Amino acid sequence: MKEITVNKKAYHDYFIIDKYEAGLSLLGTEIKSIRKGKVQLKDSYVSFIDNEAYIKGMHIAVYKEGNRFNHDETRERKLLLHKSEIIKIYNKTKLQGFTVIPLRLYLKDGRAKLEIALAKGKDLYDKREDSKIRSMEMEAKKAIKQWR
């Protein structure tokens, strides 16, 4: 399993509730750009249209060696999930107010997979609390390292 990119902003801005693995419906030049690592998940999200899941805002750079049939960089891409998973995720977003965001993109057996998550947005004080805990842990690690 080769990890291509991670959405670090997702862990900062959201509480992650549940994770799912989804395949992607891609064009030939898109998978070539993904293998080169030219992908950005920063402002992307998952939406549902006609009982199908699509990822919006995911940026895959144009493949440099591609020809006139190159892909659009930020087009909607269909996510390949089981119907029961789509219904389950869709119901949680509508009834409980969760958001579906991508966490990471990786290659598994030569195929691009996207890890998506049901997430709840953090408030500002939650973000401050997380950064405070993280800094305290770093200080403790430094103190232990110096003490040895």
Side-chain angles (χ1 to χ4, degrees):
M1 204 161 59
K2 180 184 174 189
E3 194 167 272
I4 305 297
T5 186
V6 176
N7 189 357
K8 294 177 186 173
K9 190 177 178 184
Y11 291 100
H12 181 261
D13 292 341
Y14 298 96
F15 292 114
I16 306 302
I17 308 300
D18 203 4
K19 296 179 183 180
Y20 298 93
E21 181 183 67
L24 286 164
S25 178
L26 299 170
L27 300 174
T29 54
E30 288 176 330
I31 191 66
K32 290 178 181 184
S33 288
I34 287 174
R35 286 191 176 119
K36 283 190 166 188
K38 308 281 185 178
V39 184
Q40 187 175 9
L41 297 174
K42 189 175 170 185
D43 294 325
S44 55
Y45 61 96
V46 176
S47 67
F48 298 93
I49 303 168
D50 297 330
N51 290 328
E52 292 180 343
Y54 292 90
I55 185 158
K56 294 184 177 184
M58 183 170 80
H59 183 273
I60 300 176
V62 173
Y63 185 60
K64 190 176 178 183
E65 289 79 27
N67 56 11
R68 61 188 173 141
F69 299 111
N70 227 328
H71 63 275
D72 180 28
E73 294 176 346
T74 56
R75 74 177 185 91
E76 292 180 5
R77 293 165 182 92
K78 186 175 178 179
L79 294 179
L80 306 174
L81 290 160
H82 291 282
K83 186 65 78 176
S84 60
E85 286 179 325
I86 292 173
I87 292 168
K88 182 178 173 183
I89 295 169
Y90 178 73
N91 287 337
K92 285 188 178 182
T93 58
K94 286 297 171 193
L95 299 177
Q96 297 174 359
F98 290 123
T99 306
V100 184
I101 54 170
L103 295 180
R104 64 188 182 113
L105 181 70
Y106 56 94
L107 293 174
K108 182 178 178 183
D109 298 328
R111 300 176 191 273
K113 300 289 183 178
L114 186 69
E115 185 176 49
I116 59 173
L118 278 170
K120 194 85 163 173
K122 285 185 183 178
D123 291 322
L124 184 60
Y125 59 86
D126 291 328
K127 293 178 190 178
R128 285 187 191 138
E129 187 67 28
D130 284 349
S131 65
K132 199 182 299 181
I133 291 169
R134 199 175 312 117
S135 66
M136 287 172 40
E137 287 174 354
M138 286 176 58
E139 289 175 11
K141 285 181 183 179
K142 285 180 184 177
I144 291 170
K145 195 174 189 180
Q146 289 177 352
W147 194 70
R148 287 184 184 182

